[in-house]
PDB file of all heavy atoms in Angstrom:
ATOM      1  N   GLN A 260      -7.313   5.063   6.641  1.00  0.00           N
ATOM      2  CA  GLN A 260      -7.872   4.985   5.274  1.00  0.00           C
ATOM      3  C   GLN A 260      -7.252   6.076   4.547  1.00  0.00           C
ATOM      4  O   GLN A 260      -7.555   7.187   4.789  1.00  0.00           O
ATOM      5  CB  GLN A 260      -9.362   4.914   5.457  1.00  0.00           C
ATOM      6  CG  GLN A 260     -10.136   4.933   4.006  1.00  0.00           C
ATOM      7  CD  GLN A 260     -10.114   3.603   3.404  1.00  0.00           C
ATOM      8  OE1 GLN A 260      -9.685   2.625   3.966  1.00  0.00           O
ATOM      9  NE2 GLN A 260     -10.685   3.580   2.195  1.00  0.00           N
ATOM     10  N   ALA A 261      -6.444   5.760   3.341  1.00  0.00           N
ATOM     11  CA  ALA A 261      -5.637   6.753   2.736  1.00  0.00           C
ATOM     12  C   ALA A 261      -6.601   7.864   2.112  1.00  0.00           C
ATOM     13  O   ALA A 261      -6.236   8.959   2.080  1.00  0.00           O
ATOM     14  CB  ALA A 261      -4.820   6.081   1.593  1.00  0.00           C
ATOM     15  N   THR A 262      -7.665   7.490   1.588  1.00  0.00           N
ATOM     16  CA  THR A 262      -8.478   8.453   0.789  1.00  0.00           C
ATOM     17  C   THR A 262      -9.301   9.331   1.753  1.00  0.00           C
ATOM     18  O   THR A 262      -9.394  10.578   1.419  1.00  0.00           O
ATOM     19  CB  THR A 262      -9.457   7.672  -0.172  1.00  0.00           C
ATOM     20  OG1 THR A 262     -10.097   6.618   0.390  1.00  0.00           O
ATOM     21  CG2 THR A 262      -8.751   7.152  -1.390  1.00  0.00           C
ATOM     22  N   SER A 263      -9.868   8.852   2.861  1.00  0.00           N
ATOM     23  CA  SER A 263     -10.745   9.615   3.721  1.00  0.00           C
ATOM     24  C   SER A 263      -9.942  10.161   4.798  1.00  0.00           C
ATOM     25  O   SER A 263     -10.357  11.246   5.441  1.00  0.00           O
ATOM     26  CB  SER A 263     -11.847   8.729   4.240  1.00  0.00           C
ATOM     27  OG  SER A 263     -11.379   7.687   5.105  1.00  0.00           O
ATOM     28  N   GLY A 264      -8.728   9.633   5.207  1.00  0.00           N
ATOM     29  CA  GLY A 264      -8.117  10.022   6.371  1.00  0.00           C
ATOM     30  C   GLY A 264      -8.572   9.558   7.603  1.00  0.00           C
ATOM     31  O   GLY A 264      -8.144   9.717   8.701  1.00  0.00           O
ATOM     32  N   GLN A 265      -9.701   8.711   7.588  1.00  0.00           N
ATOM     33  CA  GLN A 265     -10.098   8.055   8.661  1.00  0.00           C
ATOM     34  C   GLN A 265      -9.124   7.253   9.466  1.00  0.00           C
ATOM     35  O   GLN A 265      -8.395   6.511   8.698  1.00  0.00           O
ATOM     36  CB  GLN A 265     -11.435   7.235   8.520  1.00  0.00           C
ATOM     37  CG  GLN A 265     -12.722   8.017   8.118  1.00  0.00           C
ATOM     38  CD  GLN A 265     -13.924   7.168   7.800  1.00  0.00           C
ATOM     39  OE1 GLN A 265     -13.993   6.754   6.700  1.00  0.00           O
ATOM     40  NE2 GLN A 265     -14.502   6.571   8.947  1.00  0.00           N
ATOM     41  N   SER A 266      -8.976   7.236  10.713  1.00  0.00           N
ATOM     42  CA  SER A 266      -7.956   6.480  11.341  1.00  0.00           C
ATOM     43  C   SER A 266      -8.295   6.052  12.787  1.00  0.00           C
ATOM     44  O   SER A 266      -9.174   6.592  13.343  1.00  0.00           O
ATOM     45  CB  SER A 266      -6.672   7.467  11.459  1.00  0.00           C
ATOM     46  OG  SER A 266      -6.813   8.549  12.322  1.00  0.00           O
ATOM     47  N   ILE A 267      -7.525   5.196  13.248  1.00  0.00           N
ATOM     48  CA  ILE A 267      -7.529   4.678  14.644  1.00  0.00           C
ATOM     49  C   ILE A 267      -6.213   4.628  15.210  1.00  0.00           C
ATOM     50  O   ILE A 267      -5.259   4.212  14.597  1.00  0.00           O
ATOM     51  CB  ILE A 267      -8.137   3.204  14.798  1.00  0.00           C
ATOM     52  CG1 ILE A 267      -9.469   3.127  14.024  1.00  0.00           C
ATOM     53  CG2 ILE A 267      -8.200   2.712  16.259  1.00  0.00           C
ATOM     54  CD1 ILE A 267     -10.017   1.667  13.767  1.00  0.00           C
ATOM     55  N   ASN A 268      -5.970   5.179  16.372  1.00  0.00           N
ATOM     56  CA  ASN A 268      -4.698   5.493  17.032  1.00  0.00           C
ATOM     57  C   ASN A 268      -4.620   4.867  18.381  1.00  0.00           C
ATOM     58  O   ASN A 268      -5.508   4.833  19.180  1.00  0.00           O
ATOM     59  CB  ASN A 268      -4.391   6.975  16.984  1.00  0.00           C
ATOM     60  CG  ASN A 268      -4.569   7.531  15.756  1.00  0.00           C
ATOM     61  OD1 ASN A 268      -3.811   7.574  14.866  1.00  0.00           O
ATOM     62  ND2 ASN A 268      -5.686   8.304  15.582  1.00  0.00           N
ATOM     63  N   HIS A 269      -3.503   4.396  18.706  1.00  0.00           N
ATOM     64  CA  HIS A 269      -3.192   3.939  20.040  1.00  0.00           C
ATOM     65  C   HIS A 269      -1.708   3.771  20.183  1.00  0.00           C
ATOM     66  O   HIS A 269      -1.075   3.399  19.212  1.00  0.00           O
ATOM     67  CB  HIS A 269      -3.919   2.565  20.386  1.00  0.00           C
ATOM     68  CG  HIS A 269      -4.213   2.363  21.758  1.00  0.00           C
ATOM     69  ND1 HIS A 269      -3.212   1.548  22.564  1.00  0.00           N
ATOM     70  CD2 HIS A 269      -5.131   2.658  22.573  1.00  0.00           C
ATOM     71  CE1 HIS A 269      -3.625   1.489  23.791  1.00  0.00           C
ATOM     72  NE2 HIS A 269      -4.733   2.202  23.889  1.00  0.00           N
ATOM     73  N   SER A 270      -1.279   3.834  21.457  1.00  0.00           N
ATOM     74  CA  SER A 270       0.152   3.557  21.705  1.00  0.00           C
ATOM     75  C   SER A 270       0.535   2.025  21.426  1.00  0.00           C
ATOM     76  O   SER A 270      -0.331   1.254  21.578  1.00  0.00           O
ATOM     77  CB  SER A 270       0.564   3.993  23.178  1.00  0.00           C
ATOM     78  OG  SER A 270      -0.257   3.131  24.079  1.00  0.00           O
ATOM     79  N   TYR A 271       1.797   1.880  21.070  1.00  0.00           N
ATOM     80  CA  TYR A 271       2.148   0.394  20.788  1.00  0.00           C
ATOM     81  C   TYR A 271       3.222  -0.060  21.575  1.00  0.00           C
ATOM     82  O   TYR A 271       4.152   0.691  21.939  1.00  0.00           O
ATOM     83  CB  TYR A 271       2.563   0.507  19.302  1.00  0.00           C
ATOM     84  CG  TYR A 271       2.887  -0.814  18.713  1.00  0.00           C
ATOM     85  CD1 TYR A 271       1.873  -1.713  18.230  1.00  0.00           C
ATOM     86  CD2 TYR A 271       4.261  -1.467  18.677  1.00  0.00           C
ATOM     87  CE1 TYR A 271       2.129  -3.011  17.743  1.00  0.00           C
ATOM     88  CE2 TYR A 271       4.430  -2.707  18.277  1.00  0.00           C
ATOM     89  CZ  TYR A 271       3.442  -3.432  17.835  1.00  0.00           C
ATOM     90  OH  TYR A 271       3.727  -4.707  17.359  1.00  0.00           O
ATOM     91  N   PRO A 272       3.152  -1.395  22.040  1.00  0.00           N
ATOM     92  CA  PRO A 272       2.178  -2.278  21.752  1.00  0.00           C
ATOM     93  C   PRO A 272       0.997  -2.071  22.660  1.00  0.00           C
ATOM     94  O   PRO A 272       1.143  -1.574  23.780  1.00  0.00           O
ATOM     95  CB  PRO A 272       2.758  -3.704  21.988  1.00  0.00           C
ATOM     96  CG  PRO A 272       3.766  -3.373  23.050  1.00  0.00           C
ATOM     97  CD  PRO A 272       4.298  -1.959  22.760  1.00  0.00           C
ATOM     98  N   SER A 273      -0.054  -2.661  22.343  1.00  0.00           N
ATOM     99  CA  SER A 273      -1.337  -2.602  23.237  1.00  0.00           C
ATOM    100  C   SER A 273      -1.813  -3.994  23.388  1.00  0.00           C
ATOM    101  O   SER A 273      -1.576  -4.774  22.475  1.00  0.00           O
ATOM    102  CB  SER A 273      -2.518  -1.676  22.435  1.00  0.00           C
ATOM    103  OG  SER A 273      -2.781  -2.172  21.229  1.00  0.00           O
ATOM    104  N   SER A 274      -2.454  -4.177  24.536  1.00  0.00           N
ATOM    105  CA  SER A 274      -2.976  -5.687  24.762  1.00  0.00           C
ATOM    106  C   SER A 274      -4.186  -5.489  25.541  1.00  0.00           C
ATOM    107  O   SER A 274      -4.227  -4.836  26.572  1.00  0.00           O
ATOM    108  CB  SER A 274      -1.982  -6.417  25.499  1.00  0.00           C
ATOM    109  OG  SER A 274      -2.365  -7.668  25.791  1.00  0.00           O
ATOM    110  N   PHE A 275      -5.287  -6.014  25.113  1.00  0.00           N
ATOM    111  CA  PHE A 275      -6.629  -6.129  25.695  1.00  0.00           C
ATOM    112  C   PHE A 275      -7.097  -7.489  25.765  1.00  0.00           C
ATOM    113  O   PHE A 275      -7.070  -8.219  24.778  1.00  0.00           O
ATOM    114  CB  PHE A 275      -7.605  -5.217  24.814  1.00  0.00           C
ATOM    115  CG  PHE A 275      -7.230  -3.675  24.806  1.00  0.00           C
ATOM    116  CD1 PHE A 275      -6.455  -3.296  23.693  1.00  0.00           C
ATOM    117  CD2 PHE A 275      -7.534  -2.762  25.802  1.00  0.00           C
ATOM    118  CE1 PHE A 275      -6.043  -1.973  23.620  1.00  0.00           C
ATOM    119  CE2 PHE A 275      -7.168  -1.480  25.665  1.00  0.00           C
ATOM    120  CZ  PHE A 275      -6.469  -1.097  24.554  1.00  0.00           C
ATOM    121  N   ALA A 276      -7.526  -7.837  26.957  1.00  0.00           N
ATOM    122  CA  ALA A 276      -8.129  -9.206  27.194  1.00  0.00           C
ATOM    123  C   ALA A 276      -9.537  -9.145  26.711  1.00  0.00           C
ATOM    124  O   ALA A 276     -10.454  -8.609  27.525  1.00  0.00           O
ATOM    125  CB  ALA A 276      -7.915  -9.648  28.590  1.00  0.00           C
ATOM    126  N   ILE A 277      -9.715  -9.721  25.561  1.00  0.00           N
ATOM    127  CA  ILE A 277     -11.301  -9.885  25.063  1.00  0.00           C
ATOM    128  C   ILE A 277     -11.817 -11.163  25.466  1.00  0.00           C
ATOM    129  O   ILE A 277     -11.337 -12.183  24.915  1.00  0.00           O
ATOM    130  CB  ILE A 277     -11.199  -9.513  23.589  1.00  0.00           C
ATOM    131  CG1 ILE A 277     -10.520  -8.208  23.129  1.00  0.00           C
ATOM    132  CG2 ILE A 277     -12.713  -9.476  23.076  1.00  0.00           C
ATOM    133  CD1 ILE A 277     -11.012  -6.948  23.949  1.00  0.00           C
ATOM    134  N   PRO A 278     -12.941 -11.166  26.144  1.00  0.00           N
ATOM    135  CA  PRO A 278     -13.544 -12.494  26.480  1.00  0.00           C
ATOM    136  C   PRO A 278     -14.207 -13.093  25.258  1.00  0.00           C
ATOM    137  O   PRO A 278     -14.602 -12.417  24.309  1.00  0.00           O
ATOM    138  CB  PRO A 278     -14.580 -12.122  27.523  1.00  0.00           C
ATOM    139  CG  PRO A 278     -14.896 -10.635  27.279  1.00  0.00           C
ATOM    140  CD  PRO A 278     -13.541 -10.008  26.735  1.00  0.00           C
ATOM    141  N   HIS A 279     -14.229 -14.418  25.237  1.00  0.00           N
ATOM    142  CA  HIS A 279     -14.901 -15.158  24.263  1.00  0.00           C
ATOM    143  C   HIS A 279     -16.372 -15.249  24.542  1.00  0.00           C
ATOM    144  O   HIS A 279     -16.701 -15.116  25.699  1.00  0.00           O
ATOM    145  CB  HIS A 279     -14.389 -16.679  24.150  1.00  0.00           C
ATOM    146  CG  HIS A 279     -12.967 -16.653  23.672  1.00  0.00           C
ATOM    147  ND1 HIS A 279     -11.787 -16.268  24.256  1.00  0.00           N
ATOM    148  CD2 HIS A 279     -12.555 -17.140  22.389  1.00  0.00           C
ATOM    149  CE1 HIS A 279     -10.738 -16.409  23.517  1.00  0.00           C
ATOM    150  NE2 HIS A 279     -11.173 -17.023  22.314  1.00  0.00           N
ATOM    151  N   GLY A 280     -17.079 -15.352  23.515  1.00  0.00           N
ATOM    152  CA  GLY A 280     -18.538 -15.384  23.762  1.00  0.00           C
ATOM    153  C   GLY A 280     -19.199 -16.148  22.708  1.00  0.00           C
ATOM    154  O   GLY A 280     -18.772 -16.329  21.630  1.00  0.00           O
ATOM    155  N   PRO A 281     -20.511 -16.541  22.850  1.00  0.00           N
ATOM    156  CA  PRO A 281     -21.309 -17.334  21.997  1.00  0.00           C
ATOM    157  C   PRO A 281     -21.732 -16.468  20.777  1.00  0.00           C
ATOM    158  O   PRO A 281     -21.767 -15.272  20.927  1.00  0.00           O
ATOM    159  CB  PRO A 281     -22.575 -17.874  22.704  1.00  0.00           C
ATOM    160  CG  PRO A 281     -22.692 -16.850  23.774  1.00  0.00           C
ATOM    161  CD  PRO A 281     -21.323 -16.448  24.214  1.00  0.00           C
ATOM    162  N   LEU A 282     -22.081 -17.026  19.660  1.00  0.00           N
ATOM    163  CA  LEU A 282     -22.461 -16.202  18.509  1.00  0.00           C
ATOM    164  C   LEU A 282     -23.773 -15.404  18.884  1.00  0.00           C
ATOM    165  O   LEU A 282     -24.612 -15.885  19.442  1.00  0.00           O
ATOM    166  CB  LEU A 282     -22.803 -17.238  17.352  1.00  0.00           C
ATOM    167  CG  LEU A 282     -23.406 -16.631  16.134  1.00  0.00           C
ATOM    168  CD1 LEU A 282     -22.282 -15.795  15.422  1.00  0.00           C
ATOM    169  CD2 LEU A 282     -23.902 -17.807  15.150  1.00  0.00           C
ATOM    170  N   SER A 283     -23.590 -14.148  18.489  1.00  0.00           N
ATOM    171  CA  SER A 283     -24.738 -13.294  18.778  1.00  0.00           C
ATOM    172  C   SER A 283     -25.397 -12.720  17.491  1.00  0.00           C
ATOM    173  O   SER A 283     -25.288 -13.374  16.401  1.00  0.00           O
ATOM    174  CB  SER A 283     -24.327 -12.142  19.668  1.00  0.00           C
ATOM    175  OG  SER A 283     -25.364 -11.377  20.176  1.00  0.00           O
ATOM    176  N   ASN A 284     -25.934 -11.518  17.445  1.00  0.00           N
ATOM    177  CA  ASN A 284     -26.681 -11.101  16.314  1.00  0.00           C
ATOM    178  C   ASN A 284     -25.845 -10.700  15.192  1.00  0.00           C
ATOM    179  O   ASN A 284     -26.275 -10.578  13.978  1.00  0.00           O
ATOM    180  CB  ASN A 284     -27.523  -9.816  16.665  1.00  0.00           C
ATOM    181  CG  ASN A 284     -28.462 -10.104  17.952  1.00  0.00           C
ATOM    182  OD1 ASN A 284     -29.040 -11.253  17.957  1.00  0.00           O
ATOM    183  ND2 ASN A 284     -28.820  -9.301  18.755  1.00  0.00           N
ATOM    184  N   TYR A 285     -24.579 -10.224  15.450  1.00  0.00           N
ATOM    185  CA  TYR A 285     -23.657  -9.673  14.255  1.00  0.00           C
ATOM    186  C   TYR A 285     -22.297 -10.389  14.333  1.00  0.00           C
ATOM    187  O   TYR A 285     -21.788 -10.604  15.454  1.00  0.00           O
ATOM    188  CB  TYR A 285     -23.541  -8.151  14.469  1.00  0.00           C
ATOM    189  CG  TYR A 285     -24.928  -7.329  14.258  1.00  0.00           C
ATOM    190  CD1 TYR A 285     -25.657  -7.091  15.446  1.00  0.00           C
ATOM    191  CD2 TYR A 285     -25.489  -7.226  12.992  1.00  0.00           C
ATOM    192  CE1 TYR A 285     -26.850  -6.558  15.325  1.00  0.00           C
ATOM    193  CE2 TYR A 285     -26.693  -6.539  13.029  1.00  0.00           C
ATOM    194  CZ  TYR A 285     -27.430  -6.277  14.076  1.00  0.00           C
ATOM    195  OH  TYR A 285     -28.732  -5.617  14.011  1.00  0.00           O
ATOM    196  N   ILE A 286     -21.708 -10.435  13.195  1.00  0.00           N
ATOM    197  CA  ILE A 286     -20.252 -10.876  13.102  1.00  0.00           C
ATOM    198  C   ILE A 286     -19.548  -9.667  12.597  1.00  0.00           C
ATOM    199  O   ILE A 286     -19.898  -8.963  11.704  1.00  0.00           O
ATOM    200  CB  ILE A 286     -20.152 -12.045  12.142  1.00  0.00           C
ATOM    201  CG1 ILE A 286     -20.492 -13.367  12.803  1.00  0.00           C
ATOM    202  CG2 ILE A 286     -18.658 -12.087  11.669  1.00  0.00           C
ATOM    203  CD1 ILE A 286     -20.159 -14.578  12.042  1.00  0.00           C
ATOM    204  N   ILE A 287     -18.369  -9.375  13.247  1.00  0.00           N
ATOM    205  CA  ILE A 287     -17.540  -8.241  12.878  1.00  0.00           C
ATOM    206  C   ILE A 287     -16.236  -8.833  12.428  1.00  0.00           C
ATOM    207  O   ILE A 287     -15.535  -9.679  13.019  1.00  0.00           O
ATOM    208  CB  ILE A 287     -17.291  -7.349  13.980  1.00  0.00           C
ATOM    209  CG1 ILE A 287     -18.574  -6.698  14.536  1.00  0.00           C
ATOM    210  CG2 ILE A 287     -16.331  -6.175  13.480  1.00  0.00           C
ATOM    211  CD1 ILE A 287     -19.095  -7.443  15.705  1.00  0.00           C
TER     212      ILE A 287
END
Side-chain angles (χ1 to χ4, degrees):
Q260 174 78 359
T262 48
S263 67
Q265 287 178 265
S266 64
I267 303 168
N268 309 277
H269 200 268
S270 58
Y271 185 83
S273 57
S274 180
F275 299 91
I277 307 301
H279 289 71
L282 179 66
S283 190
N284 299 329
Y285 300 95
I286 280 182
I287 302 99

